[in-house]
Amino acid sequence: MSEFIHLHNHSHYSLLDGAATIGGLVGAAVDNKMPAVALTDHGVMFGTIEFYRTARKAGIKPIIGCEMYIVVNGSRTDREAIGRSAKPGQGRGIYAHIVLLAKNITGYRNLMKLCSLAHLEGFYYKPRIDLDLLSMNHEGLVALSACPNGVVAHHIVNGRSADARKEAASFKEIFGEDFYLEIQNHGLEKEKPILAEMPTISGELDIPLVATNDIHYIKREHAIAHNVLLMIPDASASNTTDYHELRYRTDQLYFKSKDEMATAFKEFPDAVKTTLAIAEKIEQFSLEPEKPHMPAFPIPADAGVNTHDEYLDKLAREGISHRYPEITSEIEDRMAHELRVIKGMGYAGYFLITYDFINNARKSGVVVGPGRGSAAGSIVSYALGITNVDPLKYGLLFERFLNPDRVSMPDIDIDFSDTKRDRVIEYVKEKYGADSVSQIITFGTLSARAVLKDVGRVLGVPLNQVESITKQIPVVQGRVTPLAEVLETNPELAWIKKSEDPKIKELIDISLVLEGMHRNASTHAAGIVISPGPLIDFVPLYKTPQTELMTQYNMIDLEKIGLL
């Protein structure tokens, strides 16, 4: 078993900052025979469910966390920077860093709440919490004091030893034995005073040291690719900089082996071993419920029935009589079979909720599509008016839509008029509560075409030269063909392998590293989520001054955790 666990790690969900995929992070833990690994992206929990599922599948204990931004002197509602050093988004007067790890399911829920409120109440350059919020929601969390910009270390870096001790003591008061003083050694000048003073504070206050590596990429040779990623937002034809000059001033932010960590912290062997003690504190808990978190659909008082199953049966049988002039035995048998499966799988409420907002949309003058995908194979959907496609006429199979042998949430694709879609959302908010409804996040990725253009802009490769490559990359059924595949199969690009231009070689090498990573977050064009109570209890929420409220988990991950 490994003698070290990585507890401070950023993935590409730290948008345009982390250059490590979830698969890459978990794969590195497997390769290094580490039994656990953490995910601690900056201020967000975007990758939590993918990380949780990927790690568990690989036999690795997932440690769910977040490197949060915290206001230590003041309130998260403050909107003023403190001190001359507080440059936009950087000054310690605006925030410091703290790493929080979920020790158990209570800690996970508190982490979601903190991460959500940081966006909803504390967003100022970054999503921020404060000491009051942390004190109220610290149960089940392990806290590390983070990097040189961390809650304790930034005082040391700025020569404020007394403040460093005071801060460390205040966090120990909140977390007790679950607070650790973090030390890092990436060969940076600013880390030297921290490595010199943090052990003294540890001894004085009886707070254990923990060694971490601030992972932003998997391999050391990815440092330049990571640096290029950092430069993408500001790069233009007129604004080119030396991309070989590392913005983070070190190439050590990679997934190091236990031996490399032991060497880097040879003077602090206990700090390396502490990572194992922290990992052992983390309980294994499930994020995938046995039953979905279905909102409670209110049955009308005059319905004459008491349960969702009965009400679905009533509506379906009323609706089918309007769809067919004669109810044949084939129709009756099909209806009975579908209702039996739907009720048996516990999805009556799902159908009632969907029926209700579609019915209201039509009454409100919103144009509703006829229904797409496998839902058109359901005669119950047809009877309720969820779809307008007769499955018997077209020989459509119900089992493609819902199958007891393949348990998953039914997928009903519904099209609403773009200009009146907001009416549907407002109705759902009124019915189930504004705090139980949200739009859903989606991520833009660096596809083969996009990554070549972004990387080319940073490297200063002429646009016409980049486009001579991108125009040879086909899109097949909405999927951009991967760069490696195109380079191997397209003879029009054979010149690339023969090229002696070092910029072209770097363009390709860096693009291959960054391809597929997330570039930005946006709102899903057609998705909303409804929960049986406040969403903040089920999923972390995301909001910035430039975006609407949305979930931090994408549509696929929301389904995995049982949300509608």
Side-chain angles (χ1 to χ4, degrees):
M1 183 171 129
S2 176
E3 297 167 1
F4 176 81
I5 303 294
H6 281 288
L7 299 175
H8 188 141
N9 313 311
H10 301 285
S11 75
H12 62 140
Y13 284 102
S14 290
L15 300 176
L16 294 182
D17 184 19
T21 63
I22 298 297
L25 183 63
V26 172
V30 172
D31 291 343
N32 284 275
K33 295 181 172 55
M34 295 182 182
V37 69
L39 180 67
T40 58
D41 281 311
H42 286 300
V44 296
M45 296 175 66
F46 295 155
T48 296
I49 305 304
E50 182 188 348
F51 169 67
Y52 164 83
R53 288 172 58 82
T54 303
R56 298 252 297 205
K57 187 176 181 180
I60 299 293
K61 180 193 282 188
I63 302 175
I64 296 167
C66 181
E67 183 172 15
M68 303 205 73
Y69 304 97
I70 182 168
V71 179
V72 288
N73 294 310
S75 167
R76 63 188 181 278
T77 60
D78 293 341
R79 295 295 183 268
E80 287 187 12
I82 303 169
R84 293 181 63 186
S85 65
K87 292 184 286 186
Q90 298 176 2
R92 303 284 71 76
I94 300 173
Y95 57 77
H97 295 202
I98 186 167
V99 172
L100 300 177
L101 307 174
K103 190 165 62 168
N104 48 39
I105 191 65
T106 299
Y108 171 72
R109 290 175 180 145
N110 278 328
L111 189 64
M112 285 196 299
K113 187 172 184 179
L114 289 166
C115 199
S116 299
L117 293 176
H119 284 87
L120 301 180
E121 299 177 355
F123 203 103
Y124 182 59
Y125 294 103
K126 300 288 185 182
R128 308 169 308 159
I129 58 173
D130 57 23
L131 284 174
D132 287 343
L133 197 61
L134 188 59
S135 296
M136 290 186 290
N137 299 281
H138 73 278
E139 187 181 351
L141 292 171
V142 172
L144 318 184
S145 64
C147 57
N149 294 327
V151 289
V152 177
H154 83 273
H155 288 302
I156 297 173
V157 171
N158 289 288
R160 299 189 297 265
S161 297
D163 289 338
R165 283 162 172 75
K166 180 181 176 183
E167 211 76 82
S170 68
F171 281 95
K172 183 181 181 182
E173 188 174 339
I174 294 171
F175 288 97
E177 294 181 353
D178 288 328
F179 179 60
Y180 296 84
L181 293 172
E182 192 169 344
I183 53 174
Q184 298 180 340
N185 185 9
H186 306 102
L188 295 169
E189 202 61 34
K190 62 183 176 182
E191 292 171 338
K192 291 180 180 178
I194 300 169
L195 288 167
E197 190 156 353
M198 201 71 92
T200 304
I201 298 174
S202 169
E204 290 176 0
L205 300 180
D206 193 25
I207 303 172
L209 291 176
V210 60
T212 70
N213 211 59
D214 198 352
I215 292 174
H216 282 70
Y217 39 91
I218 301 302
K219 299 178 180 179
R220 186 176 184 178
E221 56 265 33
H222 292 171
I224 297 297
H226 171 254
N227 203 51
V228 168
L229 184 75
L230 298 176
M231 293 178 160
I232 285 175
D234 302 318
S236 67
S238 59
N239 180 29
T240 57
T241 54
D242 183 3
Y243 55 90
H244 290 109
E245 185 177 334
L246 299 178
R247 183 177 294 182
Y248 288 173
R249 303 181 188 281
T250 180
D251 64 355
Q252 298 295 302
L253 307 177
Y254 65 95
F255 197 108
K256 293 184 176 179
S257 68
K258 65 180 179 62
D259 291 337
E260 287 176 300
M261 292 302 292
T263 300
F265 295 95
K266 59 187 177 184
E267 295 179 14
F268 310 103
D270 288 345
V272 174
K273 292 178 183 176
T274 298
T275 63
L276 298 176
I278 293 173
E280 287 172 5
K281 282 186 175 183
I282 307 300
E283 298 175 10
Q284 296 271 30
F285 52 90
S286 176
L287 300 184
E288 298 176 273
E290 293 182 5
K291 294 183 178 180
H293 301 296
M294 200 68 69
F297 178 80
I299 299 172
D302 60 354
V305 295
N306 298 314
T307 68
H308 288 154
D309 286 354
E310 292 171 343
Y311 191 45
L312 177 65
D313 198 273
K314 173 184 168 70
L315 290 175
R317 296 193 181 281
E318 289 175 355
I320 203 71
S321 64
H322 297 295
R323 290 296 195 181
Y324 299 99
E326 180 184 354
I327 308 302
T328 65
S329 59
E330 180 188 12
I331 294 171
E332 179 63 39
D333 290 347
R334 175 72 171 258
M335 173 79 83
H337 167 67
E338 289 193 16
L339 286 170
R340 191 163 52 249
V341 172
I342 291 166
K343 290 186 282 189
M345 295 181 74
Y347 291 142
Y350 177 92
F351 277 79
L352 291 172
I353 291 164
T354 308
Y355 149 80
D356 178 65
F357 70 71
I358 289 177
N359 187 44
N360 179 268
R362 289 198 175 102
K363 287 180 179 178
S364 302
V366 179
V367 177
V368 182
R372 290 185 291 112
S374 60
S378 168
I379 202 169
V380 171
S381 295
Y382 183 52
L384 295 175
I386 291 173
T387 64
N388 274 326
V389 179
D390 182 350
L392 298 183
K393 180 179 179 180
Y394 295 102
L396 303 176
L397 299 176
F398 174 68
E399 284 71 24
R400 288 193 62 192
F401 171 57
L402 201 58
N403 191 329
D405 297 327
R406 191 182 67 251
V407 180
S408 63
M409 189 81 80
D411 186 12
I412 301 176
D413 296 316
I414 309 158
D415 296 305
F416 295 109
S417 166
D418 288 343
T419 57
K420 296 180 179 179
R421 178 172 172 266
D422 58 317
R423 292 187 187 181
V424 181
I425 296 173
E426 285 307 311
Y427 173 75
V428 173
K429 285 182 177 180
E430 288 175 15
K431 184 120 186 173
Y432 301 100
D435 62 351
S436 297
V437 179
S438 172
Q439 298 196 74
I440 299 170
I441 203 166
T442 187
F443 299 98
T445 59
L446 289 165
S447 67
R449 288 178 170 183
V451 76
L452 285 166
K453 289 181 178 179
D454 276 335
V455 173
R457 199 167 60 252
V458 175
L459 270 58
V461 178
L463 181 59
N464 63 344
Q465 198 169 15
V466 174
E467 289 182 338
S468 72
I469 303 172
T470 59
K471 72 180 182 181
Q472 298 294 335
I473 301 175
V475 178
V476 181
Q477 295 183 336
R479 172 181 172 268
V480 180
T481 305
L483 181 55
E485 182 181 331
V486 174
L487 293 174
E488 286 298 321
T489 59
N490 191 335
E492 296 291 330
L493 297 178
W495 65 270
I496 291 176
K497 290 184 178 180
K498 300 173 185 176
S499 176
E500 295 181 2
D501 185 343
K503 277 281 181 75
I504 293 297
K505 185 180 186 313
E506 277 194 304
L507 171 67
I508 299 302
D509 289 347
I510 292 171
S511 294
L512 286 169
V513 173
L514 301 181
E515 183 182 11
M517 294 187 183
H518 293 322
R519 190 188 194 283
N520 62 281
S522 59
T523 307
H524 192 287
I528 60 168
V529 62
I530 312 169
S531 62
L535 265 171
I536 201 170
D537 294 334
F538 298 91
V539 59
L541 301 175
Y542 177 79
K543 191 179 187 305
T544 74
Q546 293 78 37
T547 69
E548 300 177 70
L549 175 69
M550 57 186 114
T551 60
Q552 289 195 31
Y553 296 163
N554 65 26
M555 191 164 61
I556 294 171
D557 291 343
L558 289 173
E559 181 182 337
K560 298 299 183 188
I561 61 169
L563 286 173
L564 173 63

